[in-house]
DNA sequence: CGAATACTTGATCCGCATCAAGTGCCGTGG
DNA sequence: CCACGGCACTTGATGCGGATCAAGTATTCG
């Protein structure tokens, strides 16, 4: 949910309270699975991931929030406990708006629910698409999909192999091997930890059709 | 989204038009991926699955709708094309409300967006939980989870091994083998095509902790 | 009763996880 | 400015879970 640039939610900015600003380090947790939501969060700068950890310790990266986006809204409006944890993927600065104030403001601006519904409907579509890709595609396809998605939506972040693995629901060594393959095919170029996309259309082809050979 | 029993959406029932009732056979498609939504659907009786088919022909069962529920709402309110197809899992009778009428009625009952948002938020949570389970758990756990979910929410439907496989993102022979294991452990009982849950708490334990031995 | 659909089984194979032992890279503090 | 510790990355060997395939058996429905 974008706050800046979106008239529908501008009323929320009147709730910003200088005292409710907080800075977080990389890897720091903002909230944890099973807690009850007490606030809505607005990301002033940085990058936040919604993650869920399995018993075997693997982190699954479900959703990613960038600058100027709101998060923590799903559980808040569902009236449920958090189903996953929010964790900083970069140093981040964020504002929190207490639950009661959010609810009051939405009650005074009921047309905002329409925007919220639209936004949640899009997120649901994205979640189900990712779920489908993860369960039906081979790893090359998933990695190609992730590279394209990351380049398009979060181009400024330096994605680690670990993070890519978490998003693709696979493991670091596998991502590294696949990146090696993609580099041999001249579709990407790795120097240092940076990954540069060279042939976007071929990557799209791999991501969508699963056709490599 | 439930229509009966939910005051928030009762206004929609005034839009029901006897001429817009339609009966579908099992396996019949209601709408297909990539089409533009032109209506909201209300399921009078039967069972409908939201499915997505992979290139290799595997059907992934993303969401399931039962009697008295609305569907087709996600794409309609997201303003997107369908990201998956709706298909009858049983003979079904449904009503369609044309898009324009839905939008008009929601405009006249703006408080309904609040209910819609809450409902979508819950669906998003469920979708991400399923996605996590599919990507991080072994098949026994997924099947146990599916059996419990089906028993709780759709107890009257006779779930085929194929449908269970589609929901668990696996294949029929694998489901059959797992069901055999669960039966040997006296957690379920299969006669004919019927599956009866004998030890619910043990199944929950398997589904949640992945601990079998 | 016959046809279609659902189920079952075992043999084989392969993709990817897992593990372990490294090598680089980078920021921090001395 | 360099040394050092920690994190990120890399590589290859091995194993296993579950896919795949195919042939056959039930079951249900028209």
């Amino acid at each position: 949910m974008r706050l800046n640039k979106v008239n529908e939610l501008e009323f929320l900015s009147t709730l910003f309270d200088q005292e409710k600003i907080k800075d977080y380090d990389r890897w720091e947790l903002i909230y944890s699975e099973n807690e009850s939501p007490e606030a809505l969060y607005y990301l002033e700068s940085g990058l936040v991931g919604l993650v869920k950890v399995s018993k075997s310790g693997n982190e699954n990266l479900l959703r990613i929030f960038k600058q100027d986006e709101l998060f923590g809204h799903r559980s808040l409006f569902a009236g449920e406990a958090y189903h996953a944890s929010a964790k900083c993927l970069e140093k981040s600065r964020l504002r929190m708006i207490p639950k009661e104030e959010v609810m009051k403001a939405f009650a005074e601006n009921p047309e905002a629910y329409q925007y919220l519904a639209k936004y949640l409907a899009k997120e649901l579509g994205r979640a189900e698409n990712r779920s489908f890709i993860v369960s039906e595609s081979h790893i090359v396809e998933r990695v190609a999909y992730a590279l394209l998605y990351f380049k398009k939506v979060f181009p400024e972040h330096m994605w680690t192999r670990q993070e890519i693995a978490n998003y693709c629901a696979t493991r670091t060594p596998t991502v590294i091997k696949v990146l090696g393959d993609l580099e041999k095919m001249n579709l990407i170029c790795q120097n240092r930890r940076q990954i540069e996309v060279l042939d976007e259309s071929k990557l799209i082809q791999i991501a969508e059709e699963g056709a490599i050979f």
Side-chain angles (χ1 to χ4, degrees), chain A:
Chain A
M1 232 173 354
R2 313 217 76 194
L3 186 41
N4 278 353
K5 306 168 195 169
V6 172
N7 293 329
E8 284 89 339
L9 297 180
E10 226 163 42
F11 65 89
L12 284 177
S13 61
T14 65
L15 303 179
F16 284 161
D17 177 345
Q18 291 304 330
E19 311 199 349
K20 297 272 172 42
I21 276 199
K22 210 169 154 193
D23 286 304
Y24 288 80
D25 279 332
R26 203 184 183 201
W27 302 145
E28 216 177 327
L29 270 178
I30 299 158
Y31 58 72
S32 295
E33 196 176 332
N34 293 326
E35 289 176 8
S36 291
E38 295 302 337
L40 183 64
Y41 296 87
Y42 171 66
L43 186 52
E44 286 231 334
S45 66
L47 200 67
V48 169
L50 186 69
V51 301
K52 218 167 148 77
V53 181
S54 72
K55 318 128 214 166
S56 42
N58 299 310
E59 275 198 12
N60 202 302
L61 189 48
L62 295 172
R63 248 184 293 160
I64 304 155
F65 305 103
K66 59 176 197 287
Q67 192 171 38
D68 292 328
E69 286 187 329
L70 293 166
F71 66 94
H73 54 291
R74 195 213 66 82
S75 303
L76 193 65
F77 288 103
E80 296 173 345
Y82 291 125
H83 71 308
S85 308
K87 184 173 143 177
C88 295
L89 302 180
E90 292 175 5
K91 282 191 177 188
S92 301
R93 160 166 296 184
L94 45 92
R95 297 176 186 268
M96 25 191 311
I97 311 174
K99 178 179 172 176
E100 296 72 27
E101 294 183 28
V102 174
M103 290 319 194
K104 191 156 158 277
F106 266 78
E108 289 165 2
N109 296 269
E111 70 284 0
Y113 277 110
Q114 181 171 355
Y115 178 74
L116 176 65
K118 180 174 188 173
Y119 187 77
L120 285 165
K122 287 185 176 179
E123 280 184 312
L124 177 57
R126 163 159 281 295
E128 289 180 330
N129 280 334
R130 174 175 171 276
S131 171
F132 176 72
I133 286 165
V134 163
S135 51
E136 299 294 339
S137 327
H138 285 187
I139 295 216
V140 220
E141 309 167 43
R142 294 189 229 168
V143 170
Y145 178 86
L147 290 177
L148 292 166
Y149 173 55
F150 290 164
K151 187 191 172 184
K152 187 176 174 193
V153 185
F154 316 98
E156 69 294 337
H157 181 65
M158 238 263 310
W159 292 93
T160 68
R161 276 75 181 150
Q162 178 68 60
E163 286 163 348
I164 297 172
N166 291 347
Y167 186 76
C168 294
T170 180
R171 311 286 174 252
T172 317
T174 308
V175 168
I176 287 164
K177 283 158 196 169
V178 168
L179 288 178
D181 293 344
L182 293 176
E183 186 163 37
K184 272 178 222 140
M185 300 164 75
N186 284 316
L187 305 185
I188 63 168
C189 169
Q190 309 178 68
N191 45 8
R192 312 276 175 127
R193 294 172 178 179
Q194 207 71 36
I195 301 167
E196 194 193 344
V197 172
L198 297 179
D199 190 338
E200 195 157 23
S201 61
K202 201 77 193 291
L203 266 191
I204 292 173
Q205 199 183 318
I206 290 179
E208 289 186 351
E209 316 200 10
I212 317 176
F213 306 107

